[in-house]
Amino acid sequence: MKIILSNEALLWFKEEMEAVSGDAIRFFARYGGSSPLHAGFSLGVTKEQPDEVSVETEHDNVRYYIESRDKWYFIDHDLHVNVDPNLNELIYSYEKA
């Protein structure tokens, strides 16, 4: 399982979440919504320091990660993060790892 961020997504995190060197961005499973992987759950994102990291990647000294307690959500898939240029919102896709 990997986290793959497009250049547009990295810029989005800097502009919209004011991510700077030393910050950490967490992707997590949240109750509500829907995703291609799980009905009734969707993916959330927040800026907070990690507790027990399962998967992470780093860009410009910013950590992007998934906690161990949330790895069930991805079911052996890689997380791809991009930006919808019309809405300026994050979009997620999942590819079998």
Side-chain angles (χ1 to χ4, degrees):
M1 180 170 53
K2 296 185 282 187
I3 302 169
I4 297 114
L5 299 127
S6 70
N7 289 333
E8 293 81 7
L10 293 170
L11 182 60
W12 187 94
F13 284 109
K14 287 180 183 177
E15 292 177 352
E16 299 298 325
M17 293 187 76
E18 300 178 352
V20 296
S21 179
D23 281 345
I25 306 290
R26 176 181 168 214
F27 298 99
F28 64 96
R30 66 180 182 184
Y31 184 71
S34 187
S35 77
L37 299 179
H38 299 283
F41 289 88
S42 57
L43 192 62
V45 63
T46 187
K47 186 168 33 169
E48 66 182 55
Q49 291 300 314
D51 180 36
E52 189 177 312
V53 172
S54 175
V55 178
E56 73 179 322
T57 188
E58 188 172 309
H59 295 276
D60 297 326
N61 203 34
V62 176
R63 293 173 75 183
Y64 299 87
Y65 71 98
I66 298 164
E67 292 278 0
S68 294
R69 65 183 171 269
D70 290 314
K71 72 179 186 176
W72 64 268
Y73 179 85
F74 299 92
I75 315 173
D76 300 322
H77 287 77
D78 293 334
L79 170 63
H80 292 258
V81 183
N82 208 331
V83 176
D84 180 321
N86 296 319
L87 301 174
N88 193 34
E89 293 179 354
L90 294 177
I91 52 175
Y92 308 109
S93 60
Y94 309 90
E95 294 184 19
K96 197 78 170 157

